[in-house]
Amino acid sequence: MSAPHTSQAVVLRTIEYSDTSLIVRLFTETYGKVTVMARGARRPKHALHGVLSVPHRLAVDYRHKDGRDIQTLVGVELADSYAALAGDLARSAAAWLLVEMLDRAVQVADPLPLLFRLITASLEQLNTTSGDFTTVVHFYQLHLARQLGYAPQLEKCPRCGRQVQTAVLDHLGGDLVCVRCLPSGSLRLGRAALSYLRDLAATHISELDSLHPASGVRREVDQFLLKYLFIHVDGMDKLRSLKFWRQVRK
Amino acid sequence: MNGLPPSLNRIVTELSRFPGIGKKTAQRLAFHLLDTSRESVEELAEALLSLKANVRECRRCHHIAEGELCAICSDTRRDSATICVVERVLDVLIFERMGEYKGLYHVLGGVISPLDGITPDDLHISDLIERLADVKEMIIATHPSMEGDTTALFIAQQVQGLPLKITRLARGIPMGTNLEFTNEATLASAFTARVDL
């Protein structure tokens, strides 16, 4: 028996299945990551033509059958196309990166409504902010790690319990520890970078424009967050969109 | 084991590798070949071999050619001050069918697709830039998708400062369609790109 499922969703990936159909990977608010078949969606005059695109936010309606890897899409309404992203190269590169990170971080059919809020709020902020949008990417990466249960300790060293002034990433344990506990560590975060990370942890996404990290701090945090996610999340070190993101930022 | 002789099975397997050809269609084609005269089959085989031996990529625009340059690049009557940038060879054929365009083309060989790991380095973008010295207008005709838009923006950014007009194909409601049946994405796109009367 198949059951009707309805949810808000973000398009993570589309794969051309035939001349007329698409396989679409969605991150739904209610059911987590789901793959659906959209029959006829590639026909030029089909109602779904152009709607099923990364990273559109949709209201979806699909038939779910237990044991099936691919469900059947029944209906879609476009909630937000994040139209401004298409007009800005760096922002669209950031959107690709955010979406791919989510796709690699979450498992199939594992509902994570807080992560859904994180991705939609981050895409919305990328789409609308007039400020430095790399803070949105950093905010997203830090909170993604937190939601997955890998929040870095930004105040006290998890080894000795002392207040952290300069932190070092322990590549083996994956923790952020104080420099006294790991003097040989290569990836260091200075006071300003730690302070920026604390601000990112405490600031609401709509207030990110108030953060103005220096370019050196941005670079330190950039390197740290990516490495941190590489260590903790399986497959994150294989991000395909990272190369383009880096190329565009140059 | 389907009871077919090995030679017939072999041709069915080969034909079913073609896009849009399933096992059944491949079998139908194979039986059609069996019924066809030997001369016709030899002609077909020769045409296939000649295709692989003679058809290559145009050195200038990456369209298909039988020599160094394709028929369009070799045609001196074409307007060499206009270049239309397309994703694939098939797109050139679509524009040529339209019959309105008399300029040259440049085939990128795909679009930037970060999720597939396709970056600008994988496309014919650097040699497009080399061709722009005497060009007055570059029409970017990538498909209206996030990937197509990203590619268009990237190219536009790379040629910033060059004295040429850069245009992008208009997008919106197809001819003969009722607004009622237009989806939200297309309507939003048409609305954003609305024109003065």
Side-chain angles (χ1 to χ4, degrees), chain B residues 142-160:
Chain B
T142 49
H143 295 190
S145 60
M146 180 92 167
E147 290 88 345
D149 289 340
T150 302
T151 309
L153 281 172
F154 183 83
I155 293 170
Q157 196 185 64
Q158 295 299 300
V159 301
Q160 234 171 20

Side-chain angles (χ1 to χ4, degrees), chain B residues 63 70-73 75 78 84 86 89-105:
Chain B
H63 184 39
C70 68
I72 297 171
C73 285
D75 187 347
R78 308 275 312 203
C84 180
V86 296
V89 166
L90 277 175
D91 298 333
V92 174
L93 307 183
I94 293 165
F95 276 99
E96 287 299 287
R97 256 203 324 263
M98 174 182 74
E100 292 282 317
Y101 181 66
K102 301 292 175 214
L104 302 178
Y105 293 94

Side-chain angles (χ1 to χ4, degrees), chain B residues 4-5 7-9 11-12 15 26-41 44:
Chain B
L4 294 178
S7 301
L8 199 59
N9 263 332
I11 191 78
V12 169
L15 288 170
Q27 273 183 3
R28 232 178 9 249
L29 291 172
F31 277 103
H32 172 76
L33 287 172
L34 264 186
D35 289 341
T36 309
S37 69
R38 188 184 174 90
E39 291 74 35
S40 300
V41 174
L44 175 67

Side-chain angles (χ1 to χ4, degrees), chain B:
Chain B
M1 290 295 104
N2 52 14
L4 294 178
S7 301
L8 199 59
N9 263 332
R10 187 177 163 204
I11 191 78
V12 169
T13 308
E14 292 305 321
L15 288 170
S16 54
R17 290 186 210 276
F18 285 87
I21 306 271
K23 211 87 185 164
K24 274 188 181 169
T25 311
Q27 273 183 3
R28 232 178 9 249
L29 291 172
F31 277 103
H32 172 76
L33 287 172
L34 264 186
D35 289 341
T36 309
S37 69
R38 188 184 174 90
E39 291 74 35
S40 300
V41 174
E42 276 174 359
E43 236 171 79
L44 175 67
E46 198 192 314
L48 288 171
L49 289 171
S50 150
L51 175 81
K52 285 312 283 179
N54 302 326
V55 178
R56 62 183 88 166
E57 213 172 73
C58 170
R59 186 171 50 82
R60 194 179 290 162
C61 74
H62 302 284
H63 184 39
I64 41 175
E66 279 218 79
E68 283 280 287
L69 296 179
C70 68
I72 297 171
C73 285
S74 318
D75 187 347
T76 51
R77 291 166 301 174
R78 308 275 312 203
D79 172 16
S80 61
T82 313
I83 282 192
C84 180
V85 181
V86 296
E87 291 180 16
R88 314 158 302 169
V89 166
L90 277 175
D91 298 333
V92 174
L93 307 183
I94 293 165
F95 276 99
E96 287 299 287
R97 256 203 324 263
M98 174 182 74
E100 292 282 317
Y101 181 66
K102 301 292 175 214
L104 302 178
Y105 293 94
H106 190 87
V107 182
L108 293 172
V111 271
I112 297 170
S113 178
L115 295 183
D116 296 311
I118 301 172
T119 66
D121 305 336
D122 302 311
L123 307 174
H124 303 300
I125 292 179
S126 51
D127 47 357
L128 165 68
I129 296 166
E130 284 169 21
R131 291 182 66 194
L132 296 177
D134 301 317
V135 171
K136 291 195 170 58
E137 182 178 359
M138 173 169 65
I139 304 159
I140 305 181
T142 49
H143 295 190
S145 60
M146 180 92 167
E147 290 88 345
D149 289 340
T150 302
T151 309
L153 281 172
F154 183 83
I155 293 170
Q157 196 185 64
Q158 295 299 300
V159 301
Q160 234 171 20
L162 290 183
L164 82 160
K165 183 176 165 187
I166 305 167
T167 53
R168 177 106 167 85
L169 288 188
R171 59 176 70 190
I173 303 155
M175 292 278 283
T177 310
N178 196 317
L179 278 183
E180 197 182 339
F181 304 115
T182 308
N183 69 49
E184 303 95 323
T186 308
L187 196 58
S189 182
F191 192 78
T192 311
R194 65 190 184 275
V195 293
D196 291 329
L197 281 178

Side-chain angles (χ1 to χ4, degrees), chain A residues 182-236:
Chain A
L182 193 64
S184 60
S186 58
L187 208 160
R188 290 181 180 226
L189 286 174
R191 273 169 196 266
L194 274 171
S195 163
Y196 170 51
L197 279 170
R198 287 178 195 129
D199 288 344
L200 283 173
T203 306
H204 188 267
I205 192 163
S206 61
E207 306 291 326
L208 286 178
D209 286 351
S210 63
L211 304 182
H212 303 287
S215 59
V217 170
R218 264 207 304 264
R219 265 198 305 277
E220 262 180 77
V221 169
D222 235 21
Q223 244 187 328
F224 161 70
L225 284 170
L226 274 174
K227 193 74 203 175
Y228 190 78
L229 285 166
F230 288 177
I231 292 172
H232 289 282
V233 185
D234 259 1
M236 203 60 97

Side-chain angles (χ1 to χ4, degrees), chain A residues 8 66 69 76 79 92 102-103 115 117 127 152 158-159 168-169 183 198 206 210 225 236 241 244:
Chain A
Q8 290 280 311
D66 283 339
D69 291 336
V76 171
S92 57
L102 181 66
D103 194 9
L115 265 188
R117 278 176 56 194
N127 191 49
R159 283 199 195 166
V168 179
L169 180 63
R198 287 178 195 129
S206 61
S210 63
L225 284 170
M236 203 60 97
S241 53
F244 184 57

